[in-house]
């Protein structure tokens, strides 16, 4: 029997009235260790179904602690329990809600000892949680009012010296800590432009005051170092209007685990689904899935919140949905979780047009569409996919895509070097070179830029810092440039890791060679990048990789290439899998596709991991990955939304229509009208996707978002609509000139004596990959048949214009 003093009746508020049938309750975390008199830890009483959190338990909860006198438990007023130490020992907490119960163990140690606050692990987190070292305050590049701290406390030694030595140590009063400026300013005792940041008597105040009182101990090499963060619950399935408290725990290398929720920085990835406050309290705002990221001491952890749509979907909808591979299994699992029924399969006309545009960047001809629509044999879609992967246009399209990524551009390279670079890429696409080999060929390129075109990568990016940043974006899908000046605020990469990575490129040199535009790229045995913060060089080390001895004379890029393309490198495979997926699905599992940071999680992490694993299993064969995607029922779904999945833009319940890219659109207009575009300096009849160079004058391509190939960033290409695009389609020279060309498709059809009905079918099949509907055919023929003989061609031109300016033509769907 528990003593009266050890039994508490608490009201814990959340959206659930009580655990439902099939649910159990648990206490999170199940084990807690409190070390020191000031220690405390939050506890969550969670409703769990099949191992997944469904929210905090509400209603009358009976909680007991046995034996008594070890800990006390408080309600924080928001439905979360807080356990604090009373005396050293071990206590078992028991929670009962209705007929369900759960237990947790709490161990108290050193409750009778004085606290020794660490500058690195306590003082800096206090300053960070209060916003003192944020970018808007003293963490700004120039600081504020003569007082500058490192952004979010990435420089412990520098911040310590600033606080204790700068300005004659005026910010610290050791003999009377309460008069120290770092306490009087943020508490509002003295005027402070930043306002009140914490109150006297708060834990934050006590940490700073007691640290000063003990002589302001400096950061030490032996300080415990944080190893990882943990968030509880890591995954939750909640309902609209629900609230959920998160707990963030920091695990240190001395075995300690502390509740750092109060000092963590929280942010939500999608404010339309959830919002999170500074205390880690999540409120559900809408339906879908979003993540909460928590940052503490340059570590990041992510919690996923799923909010099913309010659809009544028969389970048989998912049970009978077609599954052709792991892609469909994982997509359907996500859709079922969110109550999003999939759209039906695309029609044959929709599929052939979509597959052509996504795979080879051209439209199927009217004859190809007729043949495909007439084919009733099983497996015809798979046969079409294999044919597309073998076509020469495949080489054009994917060479162009990788030329965007690798910045093939005669504005920054000589013409001969540009051509050599382009040919190097094209030869590897044509031979289906494995992606790991492709990347190694770029990153470790040496020799003449005319003989080994990949070497031009080092003409475009000569600075080691730029090379580190560009290589990370191109092949890892992540930007590390923020870490050039300070620890990355949105990722785990530190300033030191950045300069270790950059040092891998410190020994690459360039010299001129005989021949127009020729240069030679070669490694040298010495030279290092100096980290400005420390004033010395660090051993060259790939991100998350093993360091290389700083005095090793070998080409450091080979060490980087080995780590980069290793099957064990999770970033490399994920990055290219996400790029390829985005090409075919219209939206990446991570968007933007070159922003694969922890604070920008995937919409289906399980699927992204599976795609990356599949690519590794296929020995980095991109065609094999493309084939698997193209064959999936997920890819072959209709773009027509159902009433239940209309709001989905992230989970692939349907295909998302997207405007054709600038080059594909121009080539499509040329193909349907039979009037090719002329590009200065290139052979007649070349398509836009055959151009090796982005430095080609074209008002149409510029207007519709062609990238300039100046920086490696998906943001260079845009599909944002503009008035210039509208006017160019409505009355621009490109479309009008092609329609009026005497020897175009219209002229050839008329010369062949085609009837109006045959011409209508031809334009619909060639532009939209379908026959016109009965009502479309009837109305169009009425207009064409009514046209005078001398106005027939003009009427047909109007028909072509109306089709080519339609959303159905301009969008891939």
């Amino acid at each position: 029997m528990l003593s009266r003093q050890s039994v508490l009746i608490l009201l814990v508020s959340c959206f659930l009235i009580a655990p439902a049938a099939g649910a159990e309750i648990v206490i999170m975390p199940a084990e807690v260790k409190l070390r020191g008199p000031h220690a405390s830890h939050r506890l969550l009483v969670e409703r769990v179904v099949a191992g997944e959190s469904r929210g905090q338990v509400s209603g009358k909860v009976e909680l007991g602690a046995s034996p008594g006198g070890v800990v006390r438990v408080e309600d924080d007023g928001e439905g979360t329990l807080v356990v604090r130490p009373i005396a050293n020992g071990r206590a078992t907490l028991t929670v009962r809600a209705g007929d369900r119960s759960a237990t947790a163990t709490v161990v108290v140690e050193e409750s009778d000892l004085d606290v020794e606050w660490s500058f690195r692990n306590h003082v800096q987190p206090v300053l960070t949680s209060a916003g003192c070292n944020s970018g808007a305050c003293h963490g700004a590049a120039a600081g504020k009012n003569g007082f500058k701290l490192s952004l979010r406390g990435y420089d412990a030694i520098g911040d310590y010296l600033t606080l204790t030595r700068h300005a004659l140590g005026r910010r610290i009063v050791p003999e009377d800590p309460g008069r120290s400026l770092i306490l009087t300013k943020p508490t509002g005792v003295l005027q402070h432009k930043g306002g009140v940041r914490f109150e006297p008597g708060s834990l934050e105040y006590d940490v700073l005051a007691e640290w000063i009182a003990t002589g302001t101990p400096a950061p030490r090499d032996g300080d415990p170092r944080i190893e990882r963060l943990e968030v509880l619950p890591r995954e939750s399935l909640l309902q609209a209007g629900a609230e959920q408290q998160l707990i963030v725990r920091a695990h240190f290398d001395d075995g300690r685990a502390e509740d750092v929720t109060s000092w963590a920085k929280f942010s939500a990835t999608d404010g339309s689904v959830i919002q999170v406050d500074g205390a880690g309290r999540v409120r559900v705002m809408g339906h879908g899935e979003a993540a909460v990221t928590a940052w503490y001491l340059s570590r990041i952890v992510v919690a996923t919140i799923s909010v099913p749509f309010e659809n009544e979907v028969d389970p048989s909808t998912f049970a009978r949905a077609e599954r052709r591979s792991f892609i469909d299994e994982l997509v359907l699992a996500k859709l079922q979780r969110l109550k999003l029924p999939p759209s039906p399969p695309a029609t044959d006309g929709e599929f052939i047009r979509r597959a052509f545009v996504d795979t080879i960047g051209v439209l199927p001809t009217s004859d190809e569409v007729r043949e495909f629509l007439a084919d009733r044999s099983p497996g015809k879609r798979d046969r079409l996919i294999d044919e597309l992967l073998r076509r020469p246009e495949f080489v054009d399209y994917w060479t162009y895509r990788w030329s965007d990524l690798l910045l093939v551009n005669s504005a920054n390279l000589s013409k001969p070097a540009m051509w050599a670079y382009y040919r190097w890429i094209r030869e590897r696409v044509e031979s289906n070179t494995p992606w790991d080999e492709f990347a190694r060929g770029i990153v470790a390129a040496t020799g003449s830029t005319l003989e080994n075109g990949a070497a031009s990568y080092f003409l475009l990016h000569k600075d080691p810092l730029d090379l580190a940043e560009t290589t990370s974006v191109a092949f890892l899908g992540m930007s590390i440039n923020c870490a050039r000046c300070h620890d990355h605020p949105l990722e785990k990469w530190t300033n030191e890791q950045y300069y270790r990575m950059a040092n891998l490129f410190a020994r690459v040199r360039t010299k001129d060679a005989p021949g127009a535009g020729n240069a030679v790229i070669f490694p040298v045995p010495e030279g290092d990048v100096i980290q400005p913060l420390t004033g010395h060089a660090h051993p060259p080390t790939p991100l998350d990789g093993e360091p290389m001895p700083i005095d090793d004379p070998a080409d450091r890029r080979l060490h980087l290439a080995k780590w980069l393309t290793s099957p064990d490198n999770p970033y490399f495979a994920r990055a290219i899998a996400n790029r390829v997926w985005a090409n075919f699905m219209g939206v990446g599992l991570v968007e933007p596709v070159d922003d694969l940071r922890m604070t920008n999680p995937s919409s289906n992490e399980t699927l992204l991991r599976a795609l990356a694993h599949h690519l590794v299993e296929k020995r980095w064969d991109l065609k094999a990955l493309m084939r698997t995607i193209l064959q999936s029922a997920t890819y072959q779904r209709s773009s027509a939304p159902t009433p239940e999945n209309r709001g989905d833009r992230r989970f692939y319940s349907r295909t998302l229509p997207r405007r054709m890219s600038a080059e594909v659109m121009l080539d499509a207009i040329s193909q349907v009208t039979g009037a090719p575009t002329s590009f200065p300096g290139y052979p007649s009849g070349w398509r836009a996707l055959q151009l090796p160079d982005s430095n080609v004058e074209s008002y149409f391509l510029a207007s519709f978002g062609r990238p300039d190939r100046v920086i490696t960033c998906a943001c260079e290409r845009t599909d944002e609509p503009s008035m210039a695009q509208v006017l160019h389609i409505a009355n621009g020279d490109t479309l009008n000139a092609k329609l009026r060309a005497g020897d175009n498709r219209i002229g050839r059809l008329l010369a062949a004596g085609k009837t109006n009905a045959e011409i209508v079918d031809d334009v619909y099949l060639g532009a939209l990959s379908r026959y016109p509907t009965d009502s479309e055919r009837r109305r169009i023929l009425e207009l064409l048949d009514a046209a005078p003989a001398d106005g027939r061609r003009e009427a047909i031109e109007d028909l072509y214009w109306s089709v080519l300016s339609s959303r159905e033509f301009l969008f891939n769907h």
Side-chain angles (χ1 to χ4, degrees):
M1 180 69 67
L2 297 173
S3 67
R4 185 174 182 182
Q5 289 77 15
S6 63
V7 177
L8 303 173
I9 304 297
L10 300 174
L11 292 179
V12 184
S13 59
C14 194
F15 76 96
L16 290 167
I17 300 304
E24 59 180 345
I25 64 171
V26 301
I27 301 175
M28 296 183 179
E31 297 182 4
V32 170
K33 183 177 289 186
L34 302 177
R35 183 180 296 177
H38 290 286
S40 66
H41 207 296
R42 291 165 181 78
L43 299 174
L44 301 176
V45 182
E46 291 286 316
R47 174 178 178 260
V48 173
V49 177
E52 179 180 61
S53 174
R54 297 296 178 90
Q56 291 174 257
V57 174
S58 67
K60 185 175 292 186
V61 176
E62 180 181 305
L63 183 141
S66 177
V70 177
V71 298
R72 67 180 186 273
V73 184
E74 305 167 354
D75 181 358
D76 72 349
E78 297 289 343
T80 303
L81 308 178
V82 180
V83 60
R84 302 184 189 278
I86 296 176
N88 293 345
R90 176 185 293 267
T92 299
L93 305 182
T94 302
V95 168
R96 291 186 177 87
D99 62 350
R100 307 308 190 334
S101 65
T103 62
T105 301
V106 181
V107 176
V108 178
E109 297 176 347
E110 302 178 5
S111 64
D112 52 345
L113 299 181
D114 292 334
V115 179
E116 183 177 341
W117 300 113
S118 159
F119 183 85
R120 190 188 308 276
N121 295 324
H122 298 110
V123 173
Q124 280 192 304
V126 165
L127 298 175
T128 301
S129 67
C132 303
N133 54 22
S134 69
C137 199
H138 300 291
K144 288 283 185 181
N145 298 323
F147 179 27
K148 183 182 183 307
L149 296 170
S150 63
L151 184 65
R152 291 195 178 186
Y154 79 92
D155 180 9
I157 300 298
D159 288 348
Y160 174 80
L161 294 175
T162 295
L163 285 170
T164 61
R165 302 292 189 271
H166 184 256
L168 302 177
R170 62 187 290 266
R171 299 180 180 92
I172 302 293
V173 183
E175 63 276 10
D176 188 356
R179 292 195 296 114
S180 300
L181 290 179
I182 66 168
L183 288 174
T184 56
K185 289 260 187 176
T187 57
V189 174
L190 294 180
Q191 185 179 3
H192 182 224
K193 287 186 177 181
V196 175
R197 312 309 298 179
F198 50 78
E199 301 290 341
S202 65
L203 178 60
E204 289 75 15
Y205 185 95
D206 290 346
V207 167
L208 296 180
E210 292 176 20
W211 171 71
I212 296 170
T214 55
T216 62
R220 295 180 296 234
D221 291 339
D223 288 338
R225 299 299 181 104
I226 188 170
E227 290 187 328
R228 64 184 177 91
L229 286 185
E230 175 188 15
V231 63
L232 299 172
R234 186 172 181 179
E235 294 186 358
S236 301
L237 188 70
L238 304 179
Q239 302 298 320
E243 293 188 2
Q244 172 68 57
Q245 176 65 50
L246 300 178
I247 295 175
V248 179
R249 308 179 79 207
H251 293 261
F252 293 86
D253 59 9
D254 64 352
R256 288 186 299 116
E258 295 183 358
D259 179 354
V260 296
T261 309
S262 296
W263 295 346
K265 294 288 188 182
F266 295 93
S267 62
T269 59
D270 188 341
S272 67
V273 179
I274 59 172
Q275 292 182 355
V276 62
D277 64 19
R281 188 85 178 169
V282 175
R283 179 173 177 79
V284 175
M285 309 302 295
H287 302 96
E289 191 170 89
V292 175
T293 61
W295 181 100
Y296 177 78
L297 286 180
S298 293
R299 295 292 188 275
I300 292 173
V301 69
V302 178
T304 302
I305 311 292
S306 302
V307 187
F309 288 78
E310 295 177 352
N311 297 321
E312 294 298 328
V313 185
D314 190 323
S316 65
T317 299
F318 300 102
R320 66 173 179 261
E322 185 180 10
R323 291 165 166 82
R324 301 201 67 197
S325 68
F326 67 90
I327 290 175
D328 301 321
E329 293 284 356
L330 297 175
V331 169
L332 287 169
K334 177 72 73 174
L335 296 180
Q336 186 167 11
R337 175 179 174 83
L338 295 174
K339 296 184 179 180
L340 284 169
S343 289
T347 65
D348 282 345
E350 291 170 335
F351 173 75
I352 188 175
R353 188 179 195 270
R354 183 190 306 167
F356 263 72
V357 171
D358 287 339
T359 310
I360 63 176
V362 301
L363 294 176
T365 65
S366 55
D367 289 340
E368 287 170 327
V369 175
R370 281 192 183 92
E371 181 181 350
F372 189 75
L373 297 181
D375 188 352
R376 294 292 181 262
S377 64
K380 69 176 185 179
R381 292 192 179 189
D382 286 350
R383 291 194 297 274
L384 176 66
I385 291 167
D386 288 337
E387 179 188 338
L388 292 175
L389 294 173
R390 291 192 297 266
R391 286 183 53 153
E393 297 96 333
F394 176 92
V395 180
D396 297 333
Y397 179 74
W398 287 97
T399 300
Y400 199 96
R401 291 297 305 271
W402 303 143
S403 295
D404 280 351
L405 181 68
L406 297 172
L407 310 184
V408 179
N409 184 354
S410 65
N412 297 315
L413 292 171
S414 67
K415 278 283 187 180
M418 180 275 294
W419 272 106
Y421 197 15
Y422 173 81
R423 283 194 295 267
W424 186 93
I425 297 170
R426 185 178 181 86
E427 287 166 3
R428 274 134 195 89
V429 174
E430 193 168 22
S431 63
N432 196 30
T433 298
W435 186 249
D436 62 333
E437 184 180 332
F438 185 106
R440 281 196 299 271
I442 292 288
V443 172
T446 58
S448 163
T449 54
L450 301 187
E451 296 174 4
N452 178 16
S456 284
Y457 185 72
F458 295 93
L459 289 182
L460 293 168
H461 318 286
K462 296 181 180 180
D463 181 76
L465 307 187
D466 293 337
L467 279 163
E469 293 174 10
T470 300
T471 301
S472 297
V473 172
F475 295 111
L476 301 175
M478 63 176 70
S479 172
I480 64 170
N481 59 315
C482 283
R484 180 186 283 212
C485 300
H486 46 71
D487 288 358
H488 203 305
L490 301 175
E491 251 294 3
K492 66 178 184 177
W493 310 122
T494 66
N495 181 249
E496 182 176 315
Q497 283 179 297
Y498 175 95
Y499 281 93
R500 285 174 176 266
M501 177 75 169
N503 210 14
L504 290 161
F505 294 102
R507 297 179 177 180
V508 183
R509 300 291 184 269
T510 305
K511 66 178 180 181
D512 293 334
N518 194 14
V520 174
I521 307 300
F522 61 99
V524 295
E526 56 186 25
D528 289 298
V529 171
I530 304 300
Q531 182 191 13
L533 180 65
T534 62
H536 61 78
H538 294 285
T541 311
L543 300 174
D544 275 358
E546 294 297 321
M548 182 179 180
I550 198 167
D551 56 353
D552 190 331
D555 187 349
R556 295 174 173 180
R557 297 173 303 157
L558 298 177
H559 181 71
L560 170 63
K562 181 179 180 181
W563 168 83
L564 181 72
T565 60
S566 168
D568 298 326
N569 182 346
Y571 313 112
F572 181 67
R574 283 165 56 90
I576 187 60
N578 188 55
R579 287 188 192 276
V580 172
W581 177 267
N583 175 84
F584 289 99
M585 301 305 299
V587 58
L589 287 157
V590 177
E591 279 289 335
V593 295
D594 47 18
D595 193 17
L596 272 68
R597 52 188 161 84
M598 284 187 66
T599 50
N600 185 34
S602 168
S603 62
N604 192 329
E605 178 58 32
T606 307
L607 175 57
L608 182 54
R609 285 199 303 266
L611 289 169
H613 179 70
H614 179 69
L615 181 58
V616 173
E617 277 192 331
K618 295 297 183 180
R619 299 177 182 269
W620 307 101
D621 183 347
L622 295 188
K623 278 192 178 182
L625 175 62
M626 294 173 191
R627 181 180 292 106
T628 301
I629 295 172
L630 285 161
Q631 290 177 340
S632 69
T634 300
Y635 177 78
Q636 296 186 25
R637 284 198 187 106
S638 171
S639 62
T642 67
E644 296 85 2
N645 70 22
R646 187 176 299 277
D648 173 29
R649 298 194 61 81
R650 296 193 66 213
F651 306 108
Y652 311 105
S653 60
R654 58 190 173 94
T655 292
L656 293 178
R658 62 269 192 194
R659 201 205 71 200
M660 288 190 288
S661 68
E663 300 85 352
V664 172
M665 186 187 298
L666 181 57
D667 287 344
I669 292 172
S670 299
Q671 177 180 324
V672 174
T673 60
T677 303
S678 296
F679 297 103
Y682 292 93
S684 175
W686 268 42
R687 293 177 291 110
L689 282 175
Q690 292 178 302
L691 297 172
D693 188 3
S694 64
N695 188 29
V696 176
E697 187 68 28
S698 171
Y699 180 77
F700 185 97
L701 295 179
S703 298
F704 281 86
R706 175 189 61 182
D708 293 328
R709 295 182 182 173
V710 175
I711 58 173
T712 302
C713 178
C715 59
E716 272 215 325
R717 180 179 292 280
T718 177
D719 59 0
E720 290 296 316
S722 67
M723 185 55 67
Q725 295 171 9
V726 174
L727 295 175
H728 203 63
I729 291 294
N731 198 33
D733 292 339
T734 300
L735 183 54
N736 284 333
K738 291 180 183 297
L739 292 176
R740 292 168 183 157
D743 58 348
N744 65 4
R745 180 78 175 174
I746 298 172
R748 292 195 290 271
L749 290 172
L750 291 174
K754 297 295 182 181
T755 66
N756 287 342
E758 290 173 321
I759 291 174
V760 172
D761 282 352
D762 188 81
V763 67
Y764 267 76
L765 289 169
L768 307 179
S769 299
R770 67 173 176 88
Y771 286 101
T773 65
D774 290 342
S775 62
E776 287 172 332
R777 180 182 281 106
R778 183 177 63 254
R779 286 181 294 169
I780 294 170
L781 288 178
E782 287 175 356
L783 294 172
L784 293 181
D785 292 344
D790 59 354
R792 184 185 179 205
R793 173 168 177 135
E794 185 176 353
I796 294 172
E797 289 177 5
D798 288 344
L799 166 63
Y800 267 75
W801 179 89
S802 65
V803 170
L804 295 178
S805 63
S806 69
R807 286 173 55 87
E808 188 176 358
F809 173 78
L810 298 173
F811 280 71
N812 192 17
H813 49 84

